[in-house]
Coordinates of all heavy atoms in Angstrom, one line a residue:
I414 N -6.9 12.4 1.7 CA -6.9 11.1 1.3 C -8.2 10.4 1.6 O -8.8 10.6 2.6 CB -5.7 10.3 2.0 CG1 -5.4 9.0 1.3 CG2 -6.0 10.1 3.6 CD1 -4.0 8.5 1.7
S415 N -8.7 9.6 0.5 CA -10.0 9.0 0.7 C -10.0 7.8 1.6 O -8.9 7.2 1.9 CB -10.4 8.5 -0.8 OG -9.6 7.4 -1.2
T416 N -11.2 7.5 2.0 CA -11.4 6.3 2.9 C -11.0 5.0 2.1 O -10.4 4.1 2.8 CB -12.8 6.2 3.4 OG1 -13.2 7.5 3.9 CG2 -12.9 5.3 4.6
W417 N -11.3 5.0 0.9 CA -10.8 3.8 0.1 C -9.3 3.7 0.1 O -8.8 2.5 0.3 CB -11.4 3.9 -1.3 CG -11.4 2.6 -2.1 CD1 -10.7 1.5 -1.8 CD2 -12.0 2.4 -3.3 NE1 -10.9 0.5 -2.8 CE2 -11.7 1.1 -3.7 CE3 -12.9 3.1 -4.1 CZ2 -12.2 0.5 -4.8 CZ3 -13.4 2.6 -5.3 CH2 -13.1 1.2 -5.7
A418 N -8.7 4.7 -0.1 CA -7.1 4.7 -0.1 C -6.6 4.3 1.3 O -5.7 3.6 1.5 CB -6.6 6.1 -0.5
R419 N -7.3 4.9 2.4 CA -6.9 4.4 3.7 C -7.1 3.0 3.9 O -6.2 2.3 4.6 CB -7.7 5.2 4.8 CG -7.5 6.7 4.9 CD -7.8 7.3 6.2 NE -9.0 6.8 6.8 CZ -10.2 7.4 6.8 NH1 -10.3 8.6 6.1 NH2 -11.2 6.9 7.4
A420 N -8.2 2.4 3.4 CA -8.3 1.0 3.5 C -7.3 0.2 2.9 O -6.7 -0.8 3.4 CB -9.7 0.6 2.9
L421 N -6.9 0.6 1.7 CA -5.7 -0.1 1.0 C -4.4 0.0 1.8 O -3.7 -1.0 1.9 CB -5.6 0.5 -0.5 CG -6.7 0.3 -1.4 CD1 -6.2 0.5 -2.8 CD2 -7.2 -1.2 -1.4
D422 N -4.2 1.2 2.3 CA -3.0 1.4 3.1 C -3.0 0.5 4.3 O -2.0 -0.2 4.7 CB -2.8 2.8 3.6 CG -2.5 3.7 2.4 OD1 -1.8 3.3 1.5 OD2 -2.9 5.0 2.5
Y423 N -4.1 0.3 5.0 CA -4.2 -0.6 6.1 C -4.0 -2.0 5.7 O -3.2 -2.8 6.3 CB -5.5 -0.4 6.9 CG -6.0 -1.6 7.7 CD1 -5.3 -1.8 8.9 CD2 -6.9 -2.5 7.2 CE1 -5.7 -3.0 9.7 CE2 -7.2 -3.5 8.0 CZ -6.6 -3.8 9.2 OH -6.9 -5.0 9.9
L424 N -4.7 -2.4 4.7 CA -4.7 -3.8 4.2 C -3.3 -4.2 3.8 O -2.8 -5.3 4.0 CB -5.7 -4.0 3.1 CG -7.1 -4.0 3.5 CD1 -8.1 -3.9 2.2 CD2 -7.5 -5.1 4.4
S425 N -2.6 -3.3 3.0 CA -1.3 -3.6 2.5 C -0.3 -3.9 3.6 O 0.5 -4.9 3.5 CB -0.9 -2.5 1.5 OG -0.6 -1.3 2.3
Y426 N -0.3 -3.0 4.6 CA 0.7 -3.2 5.7 C 0.3 -4.4 6.5 O 1.2 -5.2 6.9 CB 0.7 -2.0 6.6 CG 1.6 -2.1 7.7 CD1 3.0 -2.0 7.6 CD2 1.1 -2.3 9.0 CE1 3.9 -2.2 8.6 CE2 2.0 -2.5 10.1 CZ 3.4 -2.4 9.9 OH 4.2 -2.5 11.0
T427 N -0.9 -4.6 6.9 CA -1.4 -5.7 7.7 C -1.2 -7.1 7.1 O -0.7 -8.0 7.8 CB -2.9 -5.5 8.1 OG1 -3.1 -4.2 8.7 CG2 -3.3 -6.6 9.0
Y428 N -1.4 -7.1 5.8 CA -1.4 -8.5 5.1 C -0.2 -8.7 4.2 O 0.0 -9.7 3.6 CB -2.7 -8.7 4.4 CG -3.9 -8.9 5.2 CD1 -4.8 -7.8 5.4 CD2 -4.1 -10.1 5.9 CE1 -5.8 -7.9 6.3 CE2 -5.2 -10.2 6.8 CZ -6.1 -9.1 7.0 OH -7.2 -9.2 7.7
G429 N 0.7 -7.7 4.1 CA 1.8 -7.8 3.2 C 1.5 -7.8 1.7 O 1.9 -8.8 1.0
I430 N 0.7 -6.8 1.3 CA 0.1 -7.0 -0.1 C 0.5 -5.7 -0.8 O 0.4 -4.6 -0.3 CB -1.4 -7.0 -0.1 CG1 -1.8 -8.4 0.5 CG2 -2.0 -6.8 -1.5 CD1 -3.4 -8.5 0.6
L431 N 1.0 -5.9 -2.1 CA 1.2 -4.8 -3.0 C 0.0 -4.6 -3.8 O -0.3 -5.4 -4.7 CB 2.5 -5.0 -3.9 CG 2.7 -4.0 -5.0 CD1 2.8 -2.6 -4.5 CD2 3.8 -4.4 -5.9
F432 N -0.7 -3.5 -3.6 CA -1.9 -3.2 -4.5 C -1.4 -2.4 -5.7 O -0.6 -1.4 -5.4 CB -2.9 -2.4 -3.7 CG -3.7 -3.2 -2.7 CD1 -3.4 -3.1 -1.4 CD2 -4.8 -3.9 -3.1 CE1 -4.1 -3.9 -0.5 CE2 -5.6 -4.6 -2.2 CZ -5.2 -4.6 -0.8
L433 N -1.9 -2.7 -6.8 CA -1.6 -1.9 -8.0 C -2.9 -1.3 -8.4 O -3.9 -2.0 -8.7 CB -1.0 -2.7 -9.2 CG 0.4 -3.1 -8.9 CD1 0.5 -4.5 -8.3 CD2 1.3 -3.0 -10.2
A434 N -3.0 0.1 -8.4 CA -4.2 0.9 -8.6 C -4.1 1.7 -9.8 O -3.1 2.3 -10.1 CB -4.6 1.7 -7.4
S435 N -5.1 1.8 -10.7 CA -5.1 2.6 -11.8 C -5.4 4.0 -11.5 O -6.1 4.3 -10.6 CB -6.1 2.1 -12.9 OG -7.3 1.9 -12.3
A436 N -4.7 4.9 -12.2 CA -4.9 6.4 -11.9 C -6.3 6.9 -12.3 O -6.7 7.8 -11.7 CB -3.8 7.2 -12.6
G437 N -6.9 6.1 -13.2 CA -8.2 6.7 -13.7 C -8.1 7.4 -15.0 O -7.1 7.9 -15.4
N438 N -9.2 7.3 -15.8 CA -9.3 7.9 -17.1 C -10.2 9.1 -17.1 O -11.1 9.2 -16.2 CB -9.8 6.9 -18.2 CG -9.0 5.6 -18.2 OD1 -7.8 5.7 -18.0 ND2 -9.7 4.5 -18.2
I439 N -10.0 10.0 -18.0 CA -10.8 11.2 -18.2 C -11.0 11.5 -19.6 O -10.0 11.6 -20.3 CB -10.4 12.4 -17.3 CG1 -11.3 13.6 -17.5 CG2 -8.9 12.8 -17.7 CD1 -11.0 14.7 -16.6
M440 N -12.2 11.5 -20.2 CA -12.4 11.7 -21.6 C -12.9 13.2 -21.8 O -13.4 13.4 -22.9 CB -13.6 10.7 -22.0 CG -13.2 9.3 -21.8 SD -11.7 8.8 -22.8 CE -12.4 8.9 -24.4
E441 N -12.6 14.1 -20.9 CA -13.1 15.5 -21.1 C -12.3 16.1 -22.3 O -11.1 15.8 -22.5 CB -12.9 16.3 -19.9 CG -13.8 15.9 -18.7 CD -15.3 16.0 -19.1 OE1 -15.7 17.1 -19.6 OE2 -16.0 15.1 -18.9
P442 N -12.9 17.0 -23.1 CA -12.2 17.7 -24.2 C -11.2 18.6 -23.7 O -11.2 19.1 -22.6 CB -13.3 18.3 -25.0 CG -14.4 18.6 -23.9 CD -14.3 17.4 -23.0
L443 N -10.3 19.0 -24.7 CA -9.3 20.0 -24.4 C -9.3 21.1 -25.4 O -9.5 20.9 -26.5 CB -7.8 19.3 -24.5 CG -7.5 18.2 -23.6 CD1 -6.2 17.4 -24.0 CD2 -7.3 18.7 -22.2
V444 N -9.2 22.3 -24.9 CA -9.3 23.5 -25.7 C -7.8 23.9 -26.1 O -7.0 24.2 -25.3 CB -9.9 24.7 -25.0 CG1 -9.9 25.9 -25.9 CG2 -11.3 24.4 -24.5
I445 N -7.5 23.8 -27.4 CA -6.3 24.0 -28.0 C -6.1 25.5 -28.3 O -6.8 26.0 -29.2 CB -6.0 23.1 -29.1 CG1 -6.2 21.7 -28.8 CG2 -4.5 23.4 -29.7 CD1 -5.3 21.1 -27.8
A446 N -5.2 26.2 -27.7 CA -5.1 27.6 -27.9 C -4.1 27.9 -29.0 O -3.2 27.1 -29.3 CB -4.6 28.4 -26.6
G447 N -4.2 29.0 -29.7 CA -3.2 29.4 -30.7 C -3.4 29.0 -32.1 O -2.6 29.3 -33.0
F448 N -4.6 28.4 -32.4 CA -4.9 27.9 -33.7 C -6.3 28.3 -34.1 O -7.2 28.2 -33.3 CB -4.7 26.4 -33.9 CG -3.3 25.9 -33.5 CD1 -2.9 25.6 -32.3 CD2 -2.4 25.9 -34.6 CE1 -1.7 25.1 -31.9 CE2 -1.1 25.4 -34.3 CZ -0.8 25.1 -32.9
A449 N -6.5 28.8 -35.3 CA -7.8 29.2 -35.7 C -8.7 28.0 -35.9 O -10.0 28.1 -35.6 CB -7.7 29.9 -37.0
N450 N -8.2 26.9 -36.3 CA -9.1 25.7 -36.5 C -8.2 24.5 -36.6 O -7.0 24.6 -36.5 CB -9.9 25.9 -37.8 CG -9.1 26.3 -39.0 OD1 -7.9 25.8 -39.2 ND2 -9.6 27.2 -39.7
G451 N -8.8 23.4 -36.9 CA -8.1 22.1 -36.9 C -7.2 22.0 -38.1 O -6.0 21.5 -38.0
A452 N -7.4 22.7 -39.2 CA -6.5 22.7 -40.4 C -5.2 23.4 -40.0 O -4.1 22.9 -40.4 CB -7.2 23.3 -41.6
A453 N -5.4 24.5 -39.3 CA -4.2 25.2 -38.9 C -3.3 24.4 -37.9 O -2.1 24.5 -38.0 CB -4.6 26.6 -38.3
F454 N -3.9 23.7 -37.1 CA -3.3 22.8 -36.1 C -2.5 21.8 -36.9 O -1.3 21.5 -36.7 CB -4.2 22.2 -35.2 CG -3.6 21.3 -34.2 CD1 -3.0 21.6 -33.0 CD2 -3.6 19.8 -34.5 CE1 -2.5 20.8 -32.2 CE2 -3.1 18.9 -33.6 CZ -2.5 19.4 -32.5
H455 N -3.1 21.1 -37.9 CA -2.5 20.0 -38.6 C -1.3 20.6 -39.5 O -0.3 19.9 -39.8 CB -3.4 19.3 -39.5 CG -4.3 18.3 -38.7 ND1 -3.8 17.3 -38.0 CD2 -5.7 18.3 -38.5 CE1 -4.7 16.6 -37.4 NE2 -5.9 17.3 -37.7
A456 N -1.4 21.9 -39.9 CA -0.3 22.4 -40.7 C 0.9 22.9 -40.0 O 1.9 23.2 -40.5 CB -0.9 23.7 -41.5
A457 N 0.8 23.0 -38.6 CA 1.8 23.4 -37.8 C 3.0 22.4 -37.6 O 2.7 21.2 -37.8 CB 1.3 23.8 -36.4
P458 N 4.2 22.8 -37.3 CA 5.3 21.8 -37.1 C 4.9 20.9 -35.9 O 4.2 21.3 -35.0 CB 6.4 22.7 -36.8 CG 6.1 24.1 -37.3 CD 4.7 24.2 -37.2
A459 N 5.5 19.7 -35.9 CA 5.2 18.7 -35.0 C 5.4 19.2 -33.5 O 4.7 19.0 -32.6 CB 6.0 17.4 -35.2
Q460 N 6.6 19.9 -33.3 CA 6.9 20.4 -31.9 C 5.8 21.3 -31.5 O 5.5 21.3 -30.3 CB 8.3 21.1 -32.0 CG 8.7 21.6 -30.7 CD 9.2 20.6 -29.7 OE1 9.4 19.5 -30.0 NE2 9.4 21.1 -28.4
Q461 N 5.3 22.2 -32.3 CA 4.4 23.2 -32.0 C 3.1 22.6 -31.6 O 2.4 22.9 -30.6 CB 4.2 24.2 -33.1 CG 3.3 25.4 -32.7 CD 3.3 26.4 -33.9 OE1 4.1 26.3 -34.8 NE2 2.4 27.3 -33.8
R462 N 2.7 21.5 -32.4 CA 1.5 20.8 -32.0 C 1.6 20.0 -30.7 O 0.6 20.1 -29.9 CB 1.2 19.7 -33.1 CG 0.8 20.4 -34.4 CD 0.7 19.3 -35.5 NE -0.2 18.2 -35.2 CZ -0.3 17.1 -36.0 NH1 0.3 17.0 -37.1 NH2 -1.1 16.1 -35.6
D463 N 2.7 19.4 -30.4 CA 2.9 18.7 -29.2 C 2.8 19.7 -28.0 O 2.2 19.4 -27.0 CB 4.3 18.0 -29.2 CG 4.3 16.8 -30.1 OD1 3.2 16.4 -30.6 OD2 5.3 16.3 -30.4
E464 N 3.4 20.8 -28.1 CA 3.4 21.8 -27.0 C 2.0 22.3 -26.8 O 1.6 22.5 -25.7 CB 4.4 22.9 -27.4 CG 5.8 22.6 -27.4 CD 6.7 23.7 -27.9 OE1 6.2 24.7 -28.4 OE2 8.0 23.6 -27.8
A465 N 1.2 22.5 -27.9 CA -0.1 23.0 -27.7 C -1.0 22.0 -26.9 O -1.8 22.4 -26.1 CB -0.7 23.3 -29.1
V466 N -0.8 20.8 -27.2 CA -1.6 19.7 -26.5 C -1.3 19.7 -25.0 O -2.1 19.7 -24.1 CB -1.4 18.3 -27.1 CG1 -2.0 17.2 -26.3 CG2 -1.9 18.3 -28.5
L467 N 0.0 19.7 -24.7 CA 0.5 19.7 -23.3 C 0.1 21.0 -22.6 O -0.4 21.0 -21.4 CB 2.0 19.6 -23.2 CG 2.6 19.6 -21.8 CD1 1.9 18.6 -20.9 CD2 4.1 19.4 -21.8
R468 N 0.1 22.1 -23.3 CA -0.3 23.4 -22.7 C -1.9 23.3 -22.4 O -2.3 23.9 -21.3 CB 0.0 24.5 -23.6 CG -0.1 25.9 -23.0 CD 0.4 27.0 -23.9 NE 1.8 26.9 -24.0 CZ 2.5 26.6 -25.1 NH1 1.8 26.3 -26.2 NH2 3.8 26.5 -25.2
A469 N -2.6 22.7 -23.2 CA -4.0 22.6 -23.0 C -4.3 21.7 -21.8 O -5.2 22.0 -20.9 CB -4.7 22.0 -24.2
L470 N -3.5 20.6 -21.6 CA -3.6 19.8 -20.5 C -3.2 20.4 -19.2 O -3.9 20.3 -18.1 CB -2.8 18.4 -20.6 CG -3.3 17.3 -21.5 CD1 -2.2 16.3 -21.8 CD2 -4.4 16.6 -20.7
D471 N -2.2 21.1 -19.2 CA -1.7 21.8 -18.1 C -2.6 22.9 -17.5 O -2.7 23.1 -16.4 CB -0.3 22.5 -18.3 CG 0.5 22.8 -17.1 OD1 0.8 21.9 -16.3 OD2 0.7 24.0 -16.8
A472 N -3.3 23.4 -18.5 CA -4.3 24.5 -18.1 C -5.4 23.9 -17.2 O -6.1 24.7 -16.6 CB -4.8 25.2 -19.3
V473 N -5.8 22.7 -17.4 CA -6.9 22.1 -16.7 C -6.5 21.0 -15.7 O -7.3 20.1 -15.4 CB -8.0 21.6 -17.7 CG1 -8.6 22.7 -18.4 CG2 -7.4 20.6 -18.7
K474 N -5.2 21.0 -15.3 CA -4.6 19.9 -14.5 C -5.4 19.7 -13.2 O -5.6 18.6 -12.8 CB -3.2 20.1 -14.2 CG -2.9 21.4 -13.5 CD -1.3 21.6 -13.5 CE -1.0 23.0 -12.9 NZ 0.4 23.3 -13.1
A475 N -5.9 20.8 -12.6 CA -6.7 20.7 -11.4 C -8.0 19.9 -11.5 O -8.5 19.3 -10.5 CB -7.0 22.1 -10.8
D476 N -8.5 19.8 -12.7 CA -9.7 19.0 -13.0 C -9.5 17.6 -13.5 O -10.5 16.9 -13.8 CB -10.6 19.8 -14.0 CG -11.0 21.2 -13.6 OD1 -11.2 21.4 -12.4 OD2 -11.0 22.1 -14.5
R477 N -8.3 17.2 -13.5 CA -7.9 15.8 -14.0 C -7.1 15.1 -13.1 O -6.3 14.2 -13.4 CB -7.1 16.0 -15.4 CG -7.7 16.9 -16.4 CD -6.9 17.2 -17.6 NE -6.8 16.0 -18.4 CZ -7.6 15.6 -19.4 NH1 -8.7 16.4 -19.7 NH2 -7.4 14.6 -20.1
R478 N -7.5 15.3 -11.8 CA -6.8 14.5 -10.7 C -7.2 13.1 -10.6 O -8.3 12.7 -11.0 CB -7.0 15.1 -9.3 CG -6.4 16.6 -9.3 CD -6.8 17.3 -8.1 NE -6.2 18.7 -8.0 CZ -6.6 19.6 -7.2 NH1 -7.6 19.4 -6.4 NH2 -5.9 20.7 -7.1
M479 N -6.3 12.2 -10.1 CA -6.6 10.8 -10.0 C -7.9 10.5 -9.2 O -8.4 11.3 -8.4 CB -5.4 10.1 -9.2 CG -4.1 10.4 -9.7 SD -2.9 9.7 -8.6 CE -3.2 10.6 -7.0
L480 N -8.4 9.3 -9.5 CA -9.6 8.9 -8.8 C -9.3 7.9 -7.7 O -8.3 7.1 -7.7 CB -10.5 8.1 -9.9 CG -11.0 8.8 -11.0 CD1 -11.9 7.9 -11.9 CD2 -11.8 10.0 -10.6
A481 N -10.0 8.0 -6.6 CA -9.9 7.1 -5.4 C -10.0 5.6 -5.9 O -10.9 5.3 -6.8 CB -10.8 7.4 -4.4
P482 N -9.1 4.8 -5.4 CA -8.2 4.9 -4.4 C -6.7 5.1 -4.8 O -5.8 4.7 -4.1 CB -8.3 3.5 -3.6 CG -8.5 2.5 -4.8 CD -9.3 3.3 -5.8
A483 N -6.5 5.8 -6.0 CA -5.2 5.9 -6.6 C -4.2 6.6 -5.7 O -3.0 6.5 -5.9 CB -5.3 6.5 -7.9
E484 N -4.7 7.4 -4.8 CA -3.8 8.2 -3.9 C -3.3 7.4 -2.7 O -2.6 7.9 -1.9 CB -4.5 9.5 -3.4 CG -5.5 9.3 -2.3 CD -6.9 8.9 -2.8 OE1 -7.0 8.4 -3.9 OE2 -7.8 9.1 -2.0
S485 N -3.7 6.1 -2.6 CA -3.2 5.2 -1.6 C -1.6 5.4 -1.5 O -0.9 5.3 -2.4 CB -3.5 3.8 -1.8 OG -2.7 2.9 -1.1
L486 N -1.1 5.6 -0.2 CA 0.3 5.7 0.0 C 1.1 4.5 -0.2 O 2.2 4.6 -0.8 CB 0.4 6.2 1.4 CG 1.8 7.0 1.7 CD1 1.8 8.3 1.1 CD2 1.9 7.2 3.3
N487 N 0.6 3.4 0.1 CA 1.3 2.1 0.0 C 1.2 1.4 -1.3 O 2.0 0.6 -1.7 CB 0.9 1.1 1.1 CG 1.5 1.4 2.5 OD1 2.5 2.0 2.6 ND2 0.7 1.1 3.5
A488 N 0.1 1.8 -2.1 CA -0.1 1.2 -3.4 C 0.8 1.8 -4.4 O 1.3 2.9 -4.2 CB -1.6 1.3 -3.8
L489 N 1.0 1.1 -5.5 CA 1.6 1.6 -6.7 C 0.5 2.2 -7.6 O -0.4 1.4 -8.0 CB 2.5 0.7 -7.5 CG 3.9 0.4 -6.9 CD1 4.7 -0.5 -7.9 CD2 4.7 1.7 -6.6
T490 N 0.6 3.4 -8.1 CA -0.5 4.0 -8.9 C 0.1 4.0 -10.3 O 1.2 4.5 -10.5 CB -0.8 5.3 -8.5 OG1 -1.3 5.3 -7.1 CG2 -2.0 5.9 -9.3
I491 N -0.7 3.4 -11.2 CA -0.2 3.3 -12.6 C -1.0 4.2 -13.6 O -2.3 4.2 -13.6 CB -0.4 1.8 -13.1 CG1 0.1 0.8 -11.9 CG2 0.3 1.6 -14.4 CD1 1.5 1.0 -11.6
G492 N -0.3 5.0 -14.3 CA -0.8 5.8 -15.3 C -0.6 5.1 -16.7 O 0.1 4.2 -16.8
A493 N -1.3 5.7 -17.7 CA -1.2 5.1 -19.1 C -0.2 5.9 -19.9 O -0.3 7.0 -20.2 CB -2.6 5.2 -19.7
W494 N 0.8 5.1 -20.4 CA 1.8 5.6 -21.4 C 1.1 5.6 -22.7 O 0.4 4.6 -23.0 CB 3.0 4.7 -21.3 CG 4.2 5.1 -22.2 CD1 4.3 6.2 -23.0 CD2 5.4 4.4 -22.3 NE1 5.5 6.1 -23.6 CE2 6.2 5.0 -23.2 CE3 5.9 3.2 -21.7 CZ2 7.5 4.6 -23.5 CZ3 7.1 2.7 -22.0 CH2 8.0 3.5 -22.9
N495 N 1.3 6.6 -23.5 CA 0.6 6.7 -24.9 C 1.5 5.8 -25.8 O 2.1 6.2 -26.7 CB 0.6 8.1 -25.4 CG -0.3 8.3 -26.5 OD1 -1.5 8.1 -26.4 ND2 0.2 8.8 -27.6
R496 N 1.3 4.4 -25.6 CA 2.1 3.5 -26.3 C 1.4 2.2 -26.4 O 0.6 1.8 -25.5 CB 3.4 3.3 -25.5 CG 4.5 2.4 -26.2 CD 5.6 2.1 -25.3 NE 6.8 1.8 -26.1 CZ 7.9 1.2 -25.5 NH1 7.8 0.9 -24.2 NH2 8.9 0.8 -26.3

Side-chain angles (χ1 to χ4, degrees):
I414 198 159
S415 68
T416 314
W417 194 347
R419 293 206 316 263
L421 295 194
D422 288 332
Y423 159 73
L424 292 168
S425 63
Y426 178 75
T427 303
Y428 293 99
I430 291 173
L431 172 60
F432 288 97
L433 288 96
S435 49
N438 305 319
I439 181 166
M440 300 299 291
E441 294 299 312
L443 296 168
V444 178
I445 305 298
F448 299 91
N450 50 43
F454 177 83
H455 283 297
Q460 177 76 11
Q461 189 176 345
R462 290 171 55 183
D463 291 349
E464 290 173 353
V466 172
L467 177 57
R468 194 172 288 111
L470 276 167
D471 195 64
V473 292
K474 60 191 175 188
D476 301 321
R477 303 176 72 88
R478 293 169 176 166
M479 304 174 300
L480 299 180
E484 76 276 22
S485 164
L486 201 68
N487 283 331
L489 280 186
T490 303
I491 314 300
W494 184 1
N495 199 56
R496 186 188 200 194

